[in-house]
Amino acid sequence: MNNFGYKQASNIDDAVTLVAASEKTSFIAGGTNLIDLWKYNITNPAELIDINHLNELSNIEQLENGGLRLGAGVKNADTAYHPIVEQKYPLLSKAILAGASAQIRNMATNGGNLLQRTRCYYFYDPEVPCNKRNPGSGCPAKDGYNRMHAILGTSEQCIAVFPSDMCVALAALDAVVNVSGPEGARSIPFKEFHRLPGDRPDLDNNLKKNELITSIDLPEKGFEGNYSYLKLRDRHSYAFALVSVATTFTLDGSIISDARIALGGVAHQPWRSFEAEQFLEGKTASEENFALAADLILKGAKGFGDNDFKIKLAKKAIIRNCLMALRPETQLPGAQPAA
Ligand code: SF4
């Protein structure tokens, strides 16, 4: 039995003040990952600060610059089925609906999705070493069972992957994360939000201590014309990605003028290669060019034994998803994926 305190925050400033009052205090929103971590004794907060009822976090609103602001407290399902998200940012809607289960998407919040922790099996077992859970103790995954683990951006310290689907689309869309903390409010470009493990695998992201995610901004450009999200996994639902790919294009006839390709399931953060995207710009949208872009994205990829297959799988997934993005009709509910 774990005893813990509980307080409801009355607004964002109150939430930040309450969470900063003690070292062992934690925000709770949907709780879909926090409760898992707690049950496995990976975390053990002494007090929870409930942010579920904060109106400031609960809206989806259009921005003057033509973009869309997603409140951090909005549920993943409500975001995916919001009419503007469905129409203008279908890549995001599709990625969210590829994640978890309907029940979890009904509980999980947008802010929480960004903060979910790796599903590395060793991380969830407090009986074994793990540099992310207990810095300096070692990484049994490197020489152990590592089928789900990273092939890009790994370090000697950690080879875990970040498990979100939603964040792969947010990375491709160049979203911005808005946060509030003891030092005030600031905005973080999505590509700077999550971290590679380096020598601090205990840190998943670049949030400062006691900062709260308040919203996520989507730019005006939604890529509703040519987009695709492809998730390859062991089961058709309720499974984390072995490899996922979010692709968007702006096309001028058959010529690509803007390309975005983000990968999930392969690194400690959603993975983008700006070199590969620049390579595609001005080129014909062809399978041959997509294969060359895939090689650039996967440059330096390295397997650890059980996950070696991911390198080939990722290349095929990138090519296939780029082809699917050329055929938006394949994104309609019930449509069959392109061959
Ligand atoms: Fe821990 Fe990272 Fe190694 Fe998994 S991969 S055991 S999370 S250090």
Side-chain angles (χ1 to χ4, degrees):
M1 175 85 175
N2 291 326
N3 290 318
F4 62 93
Y6 171 87
K7 288 184 181 137
Q8 270 191 10
S10 55
N11 55 48
I12 290 172
D13 289 344
D14 185 41
V16 170
T17 303
L18 288 172
V19 88
S22 152
E23 282 293 315
K24 292 201 73 181
T25 302
S26 172
F27 292 122
I28 184 162
T32 53
N33 191 208
L34 178 69
I35 303 302
D36 278 347
L37 294 163
W38 208 343
K39 284 193 293 193
Y40 284 101
N41 207 21
I42 310 303
T43 188
N44 195 3
E47 184 165 70
L48 295 181
I49 308 303
D50 190 341
I51 53 173
N52 277 295
H53 308 287
L54 298 186
N55 287 335
E56 301 147 282
L57 308 182
S58 306
N59 298 313
I60 293 182
E61 55 192 354
Q62 288 191 283
L63 298 170
E64 281 181 11
N65 65 9
L68 191 69
R69 175 160 293 169
L70 310 174
V74 179
K75 304 296 186 189
N76 287 177
D78 292 336
T79 304
Y81 292 122
H82 190 280
I84 299 176
V85 176
E86 283 188 315
Q87 287 161 24
K88 192 170 171 189
Y89 305 97
L91 175 75
L92 178 61
S93 180
K94 198 162 191 298
I96 293 173
L97 295 176
S101 66
Q103 293 87 344
I104 291 173
R105 294 192 297 268
N106 284 336
M107 281 301 294
T109 62
N110 292 335
N113 194 301
L114 273 62
L115 298 179
Q116 62 183 299
R117 307 215 66 189
T118 183
R119 263 58 178 193
C120 171
Y121 346 97
Y122 300 100
F123 175 71
Y124 281 81
D125 182 353
E127 301 300 316
V128 302
C130 167
N131 286 328
K132 183 177 280 296
R133 178 169 27 78
N134 185 11
S137 62
C139 173
K142 275 195 311 178
D143 297 318
Y145 185 57
N146 49 42
R147 186 168 183 274
M148 292 292 292
H149 287 72
I151 53 172
L152 288 162
T154 56
S155 76
E156 283 299 307
Q157 301 277 320
C158 180
I159 61 169
V161 296
F162 179 61
S164 168
D165 290 288
M166 177 182 185
C167 290
V168 183
L170 291 174
L173 291 169
D174 274 344
V176 173
V177 186
N178 300 310
V179 305
S180 274
E183 295 167 25
R186 65 185 179 118
S187 298
I188 309 170
F190 207 81
K191 62 177 181 293
E192 295 169 19
F193 186 82
H194 294 102
R195 288 170 45 90
L196 291 177
D199 57 4
R200 289 297 307 271
D202 52 314
L203 301 177
D204 295 339
N205 56 60
N206 289 314
L207 273 183
K208 293 182 188 165
K209 199 168 165 59
N210 300 321
E211 279 187 326
L212 171 68
I213 299 175
T214 54
S215 60
I216 301 151
D217 288 352
L218 304 177
E220 182 180 16
K221 194 167 179 180
F223 291 98
E224 62 271 39
N226 289 99
Y227 68 91
S228 181
Y229 186 73
L230 176 64
K231 179 175 182 178
L232 303 177
R233 49 188 155 173
D234 285 328
R235 288 190 302 265
H236 188 60
S237 74
Y238 199 34
F240 295 104
L242 294 165
V243 172
S244 66
V245 191
T247 304
T248 62
F249 293 129
T250 303
L251 294 172
D252 184 5
S254 63
I255 303 298
I256 298 167
S257 59
D258 190 356
R260 310 272 180 89
I261 303 174
L263 266 62
V266 298
H268 201 260
Q269 62 184 31
W271 189 267
R272 268 181 80 179
S273 162
F274 298 100
E275 185 185 2
E277 293 173 10
Q278 280 163 15
F279 164 79
L280 283 174
E281 286 163 19
K283 300 264 186 344
T284 304
S286 68
E287 184 167 347
E288 184 186 8
N289 282 329
F290 297 149
L292 292 169
D295 288 338
L296 288 173
I297 293 168
L298 295 167
K299 195 167 62 176
K302 174 186 167 197
F304 292 84
D306 299 312
N307 69 346
D308 291 349
F309 74 98
K310 279 193 179 188
I311 300 173
K312 268 191 185 171
L313 187 70
K315 179 166 182 176
K316 287 174 186 272
I318 294 165
I319 297 168
R320 177 173 158 190
N321 201 47
C322 287
L323 292 170
M324 288 169 70
L326 300 180
R327 295 176 52 199
E329 68 277 11
T330 63
Q331 306 304 307
L332 297 173
Q336 294 301 310

